Amino acid sequence: MSLKIRLARGGSKKRPHYSIVATDSRMPRDGRFLEKLGTYNPMLAKDDEKRVVMNLDRIKALLATGAQPTDRVARFLEAAGVLAKKARSNPKTGTPGKAMAERAAKKAARSAEPAAE
């Protein structure tokens, strides 16, 4: 059995609230889980201490037995100091999309016209 530490969504439409749970990787996102390890409320301010609440002792024990956290939970654990920071590379983040590139090209063409006359 592959154990995952992941988020299970709760709350109503446009008012999300997540539980941090330990579950079998084959179970659905909001389905059966083995243990609730904490909560995550994205509606709270980023500096609010109740935004992410975790049972760190239990999470450390599960990680020691081979449980794998998802990307978002891994970021929470990095912020809490449980996991080491992982280098992430997304080289396409800074490049503009098609529409923005077209707008920039048009703007450059417009600014070049008066200078040529």
Side-chain angles (χ1 to χ4, degrees):
M1 177 171 80
S2 178
L3 200 62
K4 284 275 199 188
I5 299 174
R6 67 178 175 203
L7 298 175
R9 192 181 195 278
S12 59
K13 182 174 160 184
K14 299 199 178 184
R15 303 283 300 165
H17 184 272
Y18 297 91
S19 296
I20 301 171
V21 296
T23 183
D24 182 3
S25 64
R26 296 170 291 190
M27 291 296 131
R29 179 192 70 182
D30 300 334
R32 189 173 69 201
F33 60 89
L34 302 172
E35 185 177 356
K36 184 175 175 182
L37 303 170
T39 59
Y40 167 55
N41 188 351
M43 301 300 287
L44 295 176
K46 290 187 188 270
D47 59 349
D48 193 343
E49 67 272 357
K50 293 181 187 172
R51 183 176 167 102
V52 178
V53 178
M54 295 182 285
N55 182 351
L56 294 177
D57 294 333
R58 189 67 189 125
I59 290 174
K60 287 178 188 174
L62 288 170
L63 290 174
T65 61
Q68 293 296 314
T70 58
D71 292 338
R72 178 56 54 186
V73 174
R75 285 180 184 252
F76 295 154
L77 295 174
E78 287 173 6
V82 175
L83 291 180
K85 291 255 186 204
K86 191 164 100 175
R88 292 178 179 85
S89 174
N90 190 356
K92 291 190 175 186
T93 300
T95 60
K98 280 189 209 172
M100 190 61 195
E102 288 173 8
R103 279 188 232 127
K106 285 181 184 176
K107 186 176 180 183
R110 269 187 273 138
S111 64
E113 284 176 14
E117 291 178 13

